Amino acid sequence: MLTEFQLKMEKAVLGLRPGEVVSFGDIAAAAGRPAAARAAGRMLSQSMDTLPWWRVVYSDGQLPPCNPSVQAERLAEEGVQLAAFRVVRSPLGRFKK
């Protein structure tokens, strides 16, 4: 059973559109707890493919170490530009330029 906070984080992740890249802290903030970025990461790491986890990265754009090749491939398919497993530019979200 998910907590209210986890449900809010899940809703925030499900609301991300293709090409929209945000940070774990952005997801936590959207759920009302901006300092809980690690909780967002933990939730996403346990979600398997039920959530679009690949649209969430570290605040500096770096991809997390878990499945970075898969994440990079999925992001590239959505028009996100990467360099050395770091988001450089995305159509939407934190890294939109």
Side-chain angles (χ1 to χ4, degrees):
M1 178 136 197
L2 297 177
T3 67
E4 181 180 345
F5 175 59
Q6 289 169 321
L7 288 170
K8 288 180 179 179
M9 286 193 298
E10 186 176 83
K11 182 178 178 182
V13 174
L14 286 170
L16 297 173
R17 296 169 287 169
E20 184 174 6
V21 183
V22 300
S23 72
F24 293 104
D26 294 335
I27 295 299
R33 292 178 50 194
R38 288 179 190 237
R42 186 170 35 261
M43 183 198 69
L44 286 172
S45 72
Q46 297 169 352
S47 72
M48 307 303 269
D49 265 355
T50 61
L51 298 173
W53 56 269
W54 59 91
R55 297 179 183 147
V56 186
V57 300
Y58 293 135
S59 62
D60 65 357
Q62 189 71 36
L63 305 188
C66 183
N67 295 320
S69 296
V70 173
Q71 186 171 19
E73 182 178 315
R74 290 183 182 187
L75 289 172
E77 288 172 359
E78 295 183 358
V80 176
Q81 295 177 345
L82 298 115
F85 293 117
R86 182 182 305 268
V87 175
V88 176
R89 181 176 296 142
S90 65
L92 302 166
R94 173 182 277 260
F95 303 96
K96 180 180 178 183
K97 298 205 175 161

